Amino acid sequence: MPLFALVVIVSGCSIGDVRRTPPAPTSSAPTPASTDPSGPPPSPAPVAETRRTRLAVPERYDPPFVEFVDAEQGYALFGACDGRPPGPDCRALLWSTRDGGRTWQRLRHPKPVADNQQMYAAPGVLALWAEPHGWWTSTDNGKTFRHTPGEKSPPQWQAAQGRFQLIVDSGKVGRWDGRKLRPLPAQPPVPVLNTVAEGDGRIVTQDGTEYGGPLVVAGAGEDGRLHTAISIDEGRSWQKTPVPAPEGEVGVLRVQAVGELWLIGERPDRTSFPALWRLEGRDWKLVSAEGHPPRGWAVPLGGGIAAVVSPRGAGAVAEGRYVDLPWPLTGDHLLRLLPDGTLFAGAQEEILLGVGTFADLTWTAVILETD
C-alpha cells in the first residue's frame, strides 16, 4: 500500500512569553528587506495599536505570566512577589480578557497561596498548578474550577493536547480515549522520540478506509542520528522515513503540523539557527535558508514559510532563502502560533498579537501595568 493513497479535506508565558492552522499566505514569498546577516537589520514597523491597562495589582508583584488561546481570549497570572513565591501577604492574582487585551477582569484564584504557581491555557480549558496542592482546571473561562490532587496532569488538560501524545513516563506514543492516555498497540520503530504530531486533513487508503491526517513521530539520538516514522492509519502501523542529513548537529528533533508537516532540528546549544525540513509527498526535504543569521528560532506558518526571530529581529524562510521582515519583534520575543492563526510574541514588558495573512499582518501591543 502506498504511504498516501489520497488526502482530502486539508485544513485547517510570562509577559515575555504564539498556537491552529494559519491562513495560507497570499504571496509566495516575502519581499526581502535585507539578506546580509552582517548588515544592519531593517527598522521595524510600528504596532498598529497599543492596548495599555492598569490593573489593581500592588507594585511589589513580579511581572505576570500571560497566555492567549486566540486573538481575543487571554489570561494573566501574578504568581510571585519580589522574586519569591506567594505567601499570606502576597496571594496569587488571576485576570482574564475576552477582547484581545482591551479590558481585563479579575478572576478568583482557587488556591492563591502555594509554594509554586503555574498557569497553562488551551482552547476551552484553563489549568492552574499550585504546588504542592495539585491542579485546578476550568472549562468555563475561569468562572469555576475543579481540583485534581497530585502532580499528574488533569484529564481536562490532557484532552486539550490532542488525540495522540507522548507518554512521559514510558516515552511511548499514546492515544487519549477520553479518560486515559493509553499506549498504542503498535509503537513506531524508532529508538528515541522527542515529539509526536497529527497532520491536518483526512486520509483514504486504497481499500477505501478513512483515517485522520498522517501521524508523525520524531527524535534525535545521542549519536546524532535523526529518526522519524509516519503512520497513515492512526498508529496501527508505521513506516520509517529517512531524514536527509543537515549541516551541523541536531540535539532535539521536533515535528510540527501547520496544515503541512515540518521538522525542526534544534541545535545542542538551543540558540544556533535550526535545521528545517518539510514533508513533500512521502519524503522529508531539507529547507534551505540562504542568508540566515547565525542564531534564531523558527516557527513554521504553513504555505512553505517559517517565521524567524533572532537577535536581528524578525525574518522568514521562504523559497530557499532567509529574508528580514519589518515586524516589531526583537530577539527577546518568544514567538508562537495560536490555534486560530494568530501570532503571539512576548517579551518582558509586553506581548504582541499578529492578526491577518502573512503578507498583510497587523500587530497589536498588549501592556499590563500595576499600581
Side-chain angles (χ1 to χ4, degrees), residues 7-161:
V7 180
V8 295
I9 320 176
V10 175
S11 73
C13 82
S14 61
I15 277 191
D17 251 308
V18 137
R19 295 179 289 227
R20 193 167 180 202
T21 302
T26 58
S27 64
S28 60
T31 300
S34 170
T35 56
D36 179 7
S38 64
S43 298
V47 297
E49 179 185 358
T50 298
R51 300 168 185 170
R52 188 185 303 269
T53 305
R54 182 172 293 277
L55 303 180
V57 175
E59 185 179 15
R60 67 179 183 275
Y61 279 83
D62 292 351
F65 186 89
V66 176
E67 283 279 10
F68 271 72
V69 297
D70 55 36
E72 302 295 323
Q73 183 75 49
Y75 302 94
L77 171 67
F78 292 83
C81 291
D82 301 319
R84 295 178 289 104
D89 61 340
C90 180
R91 302 166 69 87
L93 304 177
L94 185 63
W95 297 75
S96 74
T97 179
R98 297 187 185 181
D99 55 13
R102 295 177 180 86
T103 62
W104 292 80
Q105 300 77 43
R106 176 79 177 269
L107 299 177
R108 181 189 66 85
H109 194 294
K111 193 66 175 180
V113 179
D115 295 339
N116 180 27
Q117 298 278 4
Q118 299 289 332
M119 179 182 70
Y120 306 89
V125 61
L126 170 66
L128 303 176
W129 164 246
E131 188 180 357
H133 308 290
W135 293 88
W136 277 261
T137 52
S138 173
T139 56
D140 56 8
N141 302 315
K143 295 178 182 178
T144 61
F145 287 87
R146 175 178 295 183
H147 181 219
T148 304
E151 297 184 4
K152 188 176 180 180
S153 298
Q156 297 90 338
W157 176 255
Q158 200 81 51
Q161 307 312 301

Side-chain angles (χ1 to χ4, degrees), residues 28 42 55 59 74 84 100 133 147 168 171 184 207 229 271 286 334 370:
S28 60
L55 303 180
E59 185 179 15
R84 295 178 289 104
H133 308 290
H147 181 219
V168 176
L184 295 177
D207 62 4
T271 62
L286 266 172
L334 179 63
T370 58

